[in-house]
Amino acid sequence: MSAPHDTHAPAEGNDTAITRRTAEITVGILIAVMAAVVIVSNYQLGAGWASDGPEAGYFPMRMGIIIFLGSLFVIFQAWKKKDSEPFVEKAQLRLVATVLLPLIAYVTVLQMTGIYVASAIFIAAFMRFIGKFGWLKSVLVGLGISGTLFWIFEIMFQVPLPKGALEAPFGY
């Protein structure tokens, strides 16, 4: 007898975006690549034993080897187990994308317009499209928060943050 809301049971239909096996193999490969970088860079740095003791890369290279072997073990276990249990379902992935994609757009716009304009646009757009607030309230809150941040950082603390062309006419 299974529980009606068993979180570990495969969902009805094919709603799986990424299986647990795929996630484990992908993470194992990424960690193996990072460990290989650590091994190579510390070998180049000097991973042997000098007359005055261990060289600078001695301990980090051995740690890289242990991590590399551990990641190979994880990849082997995931490959052998063939676990088709969902790691992330499509609905969960959509929720992550709902936040992640606007953040990527925010960082991209921030490079071009500066932090204050990008933040005002981000906050207003997030409130309007994700939070379903009205246009007026969204724009006012976005401008209000950006204006407050400008006052705090630029005027009170005199900490310059990334700015775009819009702040230049105001002398900043």
Side-chain angles (χ1 to χ4, degrees):
M1 184 169 156
S2 66
H5 297 291
D6 188 7
T7 56
H8 296 292
E12 304 262 339
N14 191 6
D15 291 336
T16 302
I18 300 172
T19 64
R20 185 177 298 246
R21 178 182 186 213
T22 303
E24 288 178 357
I25 289 173
T26 303
V27 170
I29 290 171
L30 290 173
I31 291 175
V33 168
M34 287 189 284
V37 169
V38 168
I39 292 168
V40 170
S41 65
N42 283 291
Y43 179 76
Q44 292 171 343
L45 189 63
W49 198 270
S51 62
D52 59 342
E55 292 178 323
Y58 181 84
F59 183 71
M61 187 180 122
R62 277 133 185 93
M63 292 305 298
I65 291 170
I66 291 170
I67 292 170
F68 184 78
L69 294 175
S71 63
L72 291 182
F73 180 74
V74 168
I75 293 169
F76 175 73
Q77 287 292 320
W79 188 268
K80 189 173 128 188
K81 197 158 120 185
K82 299 185 186 219
D83 189 0
S84 62
E85 207 173 297
F87 179 73
V88 175
E89 294 181 353
K90 290 177 183 173
Q92 294 169 324
L93 206 55
R94 259 185 246 116
L95 285 175
V96 171
T98 301
V99 175
L100 183 64
L101 294 177
L103 280 173
I104 291 171
Y106 170 70
V107 171
T108 303
V109 171
L110 189 147
Q111 303 298 321
M112 296 180 278
T113 64
I115 196 166
Y116 302 111
V117 174
S119 295
I121 293 170
F122 177 75
I123 292 167
F126 212 84
M127 285 182 65
R128 176 65 189 138
F129 298 115
I130 307 297
K132 307 292 183 204
F133 288 93
W135 276 107
L136 182 63
K137 186 182 278 185
S138 300
V139 170
L140 288 176
V141 169
L143 290 174
I145 289 176
S146 277
T148 303
L149 290 174
F150 183 83
W151 177 74
I152 290 171
F153 287 104
E154 299 292 332
I155 297 171
M156 299 304 292
F157 293 147
Q158 297 182 349
V159 175
L161 294 179
K163 291 182 231 15
L166 196 64
E167 288 91 355
F170 297 107
Y172 289 96

